Amino acid sequence: MIKKQIINEEILKSIDSNYVYNNEPINRFKKLNEPENIKLQLENLKNKISLIDNCDLKNNAKKMVFSDGNIKSQIMIVGEGPGEKEDEIGKPFVGDAGNLLNKMLSAININRESVYITNVVNFRPPNNRKPTSTEINRYSIYLRDHILIINPKILIIMGSTAMEALVGNNIKISKDRGKWKEIIIKNKTFTSIVTFHPAYLLRQPDQKKYSWSDLKEIRKKIDELNINI
Ligand code: URA
């Protein structure tokens, strides 16, 4: 033992006397800054979703539609699933419902680019049918992880599919919309509101008055929480 130490010291001296031997292990991990870290986690999640198998949605769709917007946003919107245009382009809310969503946001002084947008299911359901409960449950595991990564201060849940994925299916959207709820995901609490889906409003324009009241609630909360948008 003593002999070995002497030999090591001898070797060190012979190399360069200015070096001091440090017994600490080298830390090879680079500390990522926050946006780099979020990007990496999102890439991992995207990868996991692309590996889902035995799913009719995935097998029939052209593209995966993951998300759009600002990954550092404190506002996250969850819709239902891609339609035809979204499936072509690979981005959520780029068709007629997307145009209405953009208008709804700008009515409360929010720029679409400053929020983060995703859907419950990441592949277009055939003929735009509503995702089944099995599909909603399958994808809501990833949706929950998605929410944890973005960590929004306000979660906007649009339509009955997103409501089923995040709140459950024992409430009615017409009764429960416009009310603030705390949604807990892995011990983290998210301030959330359920509101009508823009595609529903296109079919039922008489319901826009309720949507407007929800949008004003959302604006109020943004100001209350001092959210930079
Ligand atoms: N409807 C949705 O719920 N999401 C989209 O991306 C497009 C339409």
mmCIF file of all heavy atoms in Angstrom, residues 57-82:
data_model
loop_
_atom_site.group_PDB
_atom_site.id
_atom_site.type_symbol
_atom_site.label_atom_id
_atom_site.label_comp_id
_atom_site.label_asym_id
_atom_site.label_seq_id
_atom_site.Cartn_x
_atom_site.Cartn_y
_atom_site.Cartn_z
ATOM 1 N N LEU A 57 -55.422 4.871 -34.494
ATOM 2 C CA LEU A 57 -55.231 6.286 -34.834
ATOM 3 C C LEU A 57 -53.889 6.455 -35.526
ATOM 4 O O LEU A 57 -53.785 7.061 -36.582
ATOM 5 C CB LEU A 57 -55.280 7.152 -33.573
ATOM 6 C CG LEU A 57 -56.553 7.131 -32.743
ATOM 7 C CD1 LEU A 57 -56.452 8.137 -31.607
ATOM 8 C CD2 LEU A 57 -57.760 7.459 -33.614
ATOM 9 N N LYS A 58 -52.858 5.916 -34.906
ATOM 10 C CA LYS A 58 -51.507 6.067 -35.443
ATOM 11 C C LYS A 58 -51.392 5.392 -36.819
ATOM 12 O O LYS A 58 -50.816 5.949 -37.754
ATOM 13 C CB LYS A 58 -50.513 5.447 -34.460
ATOM 14 C CG LYS A 58 -49.086 5.706 -34.827
ATOM 15 C CD LYS A 58 -48.173 5.031 -33.849
ATOM 16 C CE LYS A 58 -46.826 4.869 -34.475
ATOM 17 N NZ LYS A 58 -45.988 3.965 -33.719
ATOM 18 N N ASN A 59 -51.999 4.204 -36.936
ATOM 19 C CA ASN A 59 -51.885 3.453 -38.185
ATOM 20 C C ASN A 59 -52.583 4.131 -39.351
ATOM 21 O O ASN A 59 -52.225 3.916 -40.496
ATOM 22 C CB ASN A 59 -52.432 2.030 -38.007
ATOM 23 C CG ASN A 59 -51.601 1.257 -37.001
ATOM 24 O OD1 ASN A 59 -50.456 1.626 -36.729
ATOM 25 N ND2 ASN A 59 -52.168 0.192 -36.432
ATOM 26 N N ASN A 60 -53.608 4.956 -39.053
ATOM 27 C CA ASN A 60 -54.366 5.597 -40.140
ATOM 28 C C ASN A 60 -53.955 7.031 -40.431
ATOM 29 O O ASN A 60 -54.435 7.625 -41.390
ATOM 30 C CB ASN A 60 -55.862 5.553 -39.818
ATOM 31 C CG ASN A 60 -56.402 4.147 -39.955
ATOM 32 O OD1 ASN A 60 -56.355 3.564 -41.030
ATOM 33 N ND2 ASN A 60 -56.863 3.575 -38.855
ATOM 34 N N ALA A 61 -53.101 7.590 -39.585
ATOM 35 C CA ALA A 61 -52.766 9.008 -39.756
ATOM 36 C C ALA A 61 -51.552 9.198 -40.652
ATOM 37 O O ALA A 61 -50.744 8.290 -40.825
ATOM 38 C CB ALA A 61 -52.493 9.624 -38.388
ATOM 39 N N LYS A 62 -51.436 10.413 -41.219
ATOM 40 C CA LYS A 62 -50.272 10.713 -42.054
ATOM 41 C C LYS A 62 -49.101 11.160 -41.181
ATOM 42 O O LYS A 62 -47.962 10.803 -41.421
ATOM 43 C CB LYS A 62 -50.609 11.857 -43.022
ATOM 44 C CG LYS A 62 -51.562 11.455 -44.124
ATOM 45 C CD LYS A 62 -51.652 12.577 -45.158
ATOM 46 C CE LYS A 62 -52.712 12.273 -46.190
ATOM 47 N NZ LYS A 62 -53.468 13.436 -46.586
ATOM 48 N N LYS A 63 -49.406 12.017 -40.212
ATOM 49 C CA LYS A 63 -48.339 12.611 -39.392
ATOM 50 C C LYS A 63 -48.700 12.616 -37.921
ATOM 51 O O LYS A 63 -49.886 12.675 -37.587
ATOM 52 C CB LYS A 63 -48.144 14.085 -39.799
ATOM 53 C CG LYS A 63 -47.381 14.271 -41.063
ATOM 54 C CD LYS A 63 -46.791 15.668 -41.120
ATOM 55 C CE LYS A 63 -45.960 15.809 -42.381
ATOM 56 N NZ LYS A 63 -46.290 16.973 -43.157
ATOM 57 N N MET A 64 -47.677 12.646 -37.093
ATOM 58 C CA MET A 64 -47.930 12.881 -35.669
ATOM 59 C C MET A 64 -48.098 14.392 -35.480
ATOM 60 O O MET A 64 -47.359 15.176 -36.071
ATOM 61 C CB MET A 64 -46.762 12.410 -34.810
ATOM 62 C CG MET A 64 -47.054 12.570 -33.335
ATOM 63 S SD MET A 64 -45.604 12.770 -32.306
ATOM 64 C CE MET A 64 -44.947 11.158 -32.377
ATOM 65 N N VAL A 65 -49.089 14.763 -34.690
ATOM 66 C CA VAL A 65 -49.282 16.185 -34.378
ATOM 67 C C VAL A 65 -48.996 16.336 -32.888
ATOM 68 O O VAL A 65 -49.759 15.856 -32.050
ATOM 69 C CB VAL A 65 -50.724 16.623 -34.729
ATOM 70 C CG1 VAL A 65 -50.968 18.060 -34.312
ATOM 71 C CG2 VAL A 65 -50.976 16.440 -36.228
ATOM 72 N N PHE A 66 -47.867 16.943 -32.580
ATOM 73 C CA PHE A 66 -47.423 16.973 -31.188
ATOM 74 C C PHE A 66 -47.832 18.266 -30.482
ATOM 75 O O PHE A 66 -48.568 18.222 -29.508
ATOM 76 C CB PHE A 66 -45.908 16.760 -31.149
ATOM 77 C CG PHE A 66 -45.346 16.631 -29.764
ATOM 78 C CD1 PHE A 66 -45.639 15.521 -28.976
ATOM 79 C CD2 PHE A 66 -44.518 17.608 -29.241
ATOM 80 C CE1 PHE A 66 -45.129 15.399 -27.693
ATOM 81 C CE2 PHE A 66 -43.998 17.498 -27.955
ATOM 82 C CZ PHE A 66 -44.306 16.390 -27.180
ATOM 83 N N SER A 67 -47.363 19.393 -30.997
ATOM 84 C CA SER A 67 -47.684 20.650 -30.303
ATOM 85 C C SER A 67 -47.306 21.841 -31.169
ATOM 86 O O SER A 67 -46.690 21.689 -32.223
ATOM 87 C CB SER A 67 -46.903 20.744 -28.992
ATOM 88 O OG SER A 67 -45.528 20.902 -29.252
ATOM 89 N N ASP A 68 -47.652 23.015 -30.675
ATOM 90 C CA ASP A 68 -47.251 24.249 -31.334
ATOM 91 C C ASP A 68 -47.132 25.337 -30.267
ATOM 92 O O ASP A 68 -47.772 25.251 -29.222
ATOM 93 C CB ASP A 68 -48.334 24.654 -32.360
ATOM 94 C CG ASP A 68 -47.876 25.793 -33.263
ATOM 95 O OD1 ASP A 68 -46.661 25.909 -33.532
ATOM 96 O OD2 ASP A 68 -48.741 26.586 -33.704
ATOM 97 N N GLY A 69 -46.298 26.314 -30.523
ATOM 98 C CA GLY A 69 -46.237 27.470 -29.628
ATOM 99 C C GLY A 69 -44.984 27.567 -28.795
ATOM 100 O O GLY A 69 -43.973 26.929 -29.093
ATOM 101 N N ASN A 70 -45.098 28.372 -27.758
ATOM 102 C CA ASN A 70 -43.954 28.729 -26.931
ATOM 103 C C ASN A 70 -43.762 27.720 -25.793
ATOM 104 O O ASN A 70 -44.610 27.616 -24.896
ATOM 105 C CB ASN A 70 -44.228 30.141 -26.373
ATOM 106 C CG ASN A 70 -43.164 30.606 -25.426
ATOM 107 O OD1 ASN A 70 -42.143 29.951 -25.229
ATOM 108 N ND2 ASN A 70 -43.404 31.748 -24.814
ATOM 109 N N ILE A 71 -42.647 27.005 -25.814
ATOM 110 C CA ILE A 71 -42.433 25.960 -24.803
ATOM 111 C C ILE A 71 -42.240 26.531 -23.398
ATOM 112 O O ILE A 71 -42.306 25.811 -22.419
ATOM 113 C CB ILE A 71 -41.242 25.026 -25.161
ATOM 114 C CG1 ILE A 71 -39.921 25.799 -25.240
ATOM 115 C CG2 ILE A 71 -41.504 24.262 -26.444
ATOM 116 C CD1 ILE A 71 -38.690 24.895 -25.262
ATOM 117 N N LYS A 72 -41.987 27.852 -23.339
ATOM 118 C CA LYS A 72 -41.815 28.465 -22.016
ATOM 119 C C LYS A 72 -43.090 29.177 -21.550
ATOM 120 O O LYS A 72 -43.101 29.859 -20.533
ATOM 121 C CB LYS A 72 -40.656 29.471 -22.064
ATOM 122 C CG LYS A 72 -39.301 28.758 -21.995
ATOM 123 C CD LYS A 72 -38.143 29.614 -22.403
ATOM 124 C CE LYS A 72 -38.044 30.926 -21.699
ATOM 125 N NZ LYS A 72 -37.037 31.813 -22.316
ATOM 126 N N SER A 73 -44.171 28.991 -22.308
ATOM 127 C CA SER A 73 -45.406 29.697 -21.973
ATOM 128 C C SER A 73 -45.971 29.218 -20.632
ATOM 129 O O SER A 73 -45.819 28.057 -20.259
ATOM 130 C CB SER A 73 -46.449 29.482 -23.063
ATOM 131 O OG SER A 73 -47.605 30.218 -22.746
ATOM 132 N N GLN A 74 -46.660 30.141 -19.967
ATOM 133 C CA GLN A 74 -47.312 29.765 -18.711
ATOM 134 C C GLN A 74 -48.783 29.438 -18.955
ATOM 135 O O GLN A 74 -49.534 29.193 -18.031
ATOM 136 C CB GLN A 74 -47.159 30.908 -17.703
ATOM 137 C CG GLN A 74 -45.674 31.076 -17.352
ATOM 138 C CD GLN A 74 -45.423 32.179 -16.353
ATOM 139 O OE1 GLN A 74 -46.092 33.207 -16.370
ATOM 140 N NE2 GLN A 74 -44.463 31.980 -15.492
ATOM 141 N N ILE A 75 -49.153 29.438 -20.240
ATOM 142 C CA ILE A 75 -50.528 29.077 -20.609
ATOM 143 C C ILE A 75 -50.487 27.901 -21.584
ATOM 144 O O ILE A 75 -49.816 27.964 -22.617
ATOM 145 C CB ILE A 75 -51.267 30.266 -21.244
ATOM 146 C CG1 ILE A 75 -51.288 31.435 -20.250
ATOM 147 C CG2 ILE A 75 -52.686 29.890 -21.664
ATOM 148 C CD1 ILE A 75 -51.932 32.689 -20.778
ATOM 149 N N MET A 76 -51.194 26.847 -21.238
ATOM 150 C CA MET A 76 -51.210 25.664 -22.105
ATOM 151 C C MET A 76 -52.659 25.352 -22.465
ATOM 152 O O MET A 76 -53.538 25.345 -21.602
ATOM 153 C CB MET A 76 -50.574 24.484 -21.365
ATOM 154 C CG MET A 76 -50.498 23.201 -22.153
ATOM 155 S SD MET A 76 -49.425 22.027 -21.286
ATOM 156 C CE MET A 76 -49.447 20.646 -22.418
ATOM 157 N N ILE A 77 -52.878 25.105 -23.758
ATOM 158 C CA ILE A 77 -54.230 24.780 -24.247
ATOM 159 C C ILE A 77 -54.250 23.323 -24.697
ATOM 160 O O ILE A 77 -53.340 22.872 -25.405
ATOM 161 C CB ILE A 77 -54.611 25.701 -25.427
ATOM 162 C CG1 ILE A 77 -54.675 27.158 -24.948
ATOM 163 C CG2 ILE A 77 -55.930 25.280 -26.059
ATOM 164 C CD1 ILE A 77 -54.978 28.173 -26.044
ATOM 165 N N VAL A 78 -55.281 22.597 -24.289
ATOM 166 C CA VAL A 78 -55.418 21.201 -24.726
ATOM 167 C C VAL A 78 -56.709 21.041 -25.514
ATOM 168 O O VAL A 78 -57.799 21.331 -25.005
ATOM 169 C CB VAL A 78 -55.407 20.230 -23.517
ATOM 170 C CG1 VAL A 78 -55.513 18.785 -23.997
ATOM 171 C CG2 VAL A 78 -54.161 20.417 -22.659
ATOM 172 N N GLY A 79 -56.578 20.603 -26.767
ATOM 173 C CA GLY A 79 -57.745 20.340 -27.610
ATOM 174 C C GLY A 79 -58.018 18.840 -27.671
ATOM 175 O O GLY A 79 -57.587 18.079 -26.791
ATOM 176 N N GLU A 80 -58.698 18.417 -28.735
ATOM 177 C CA GLU A 80 -59.094 17.006 -28.829
ATOM 178 C C GLU A 80 -58.080 16.168 -29.607
ATOM 179 O O GLU A 80 -57.416 15.284 -29.065
ATOM 180 C CB GLU A 80 -60.468 16.922 -29.492
ATOM 181 C CG GLU A 80 -60.973 15.508 -29.693
ATOM 182 C CD GLU A 80 -62.384 15.477 -30.260
ATOM 183 O OE1 GLU A 80 -63.311 15.926 -29.570
ATOM 184 O OE2 GLU A 80 -62.557 15.011 -31.401
ATOM 185 N N GLY A 81 -57.963 16.478 -30.889
ATOM 186 C CA GLY A 81 -57.076 15.698 -31.740
ATOM 187 C C GLY A 81 -57.005 16.343 -33.106
ATOM 188 O O GLY A 81 -57.833 17.180 -33.442
ATOM 189 N N PRO A 82 -56.019 15.971 -33.913
ATOM 190 C CA PRO A 82 -55.845 16.597 -35.229
ATOM 191 C C PRO A 82 -57.020 16.319 -36.168
ATOM 192 O O PRO A 82 -57.627 15.257 -36.115
ATOM 193 C CB PRO A 82 -54.576 15.922 -35.775
ATOM 194 C CG PRO A 82 -53.960 15.199 -34.631
ATOM 195 C CD PRO A 82 -55.023 14.935 -33.637
#
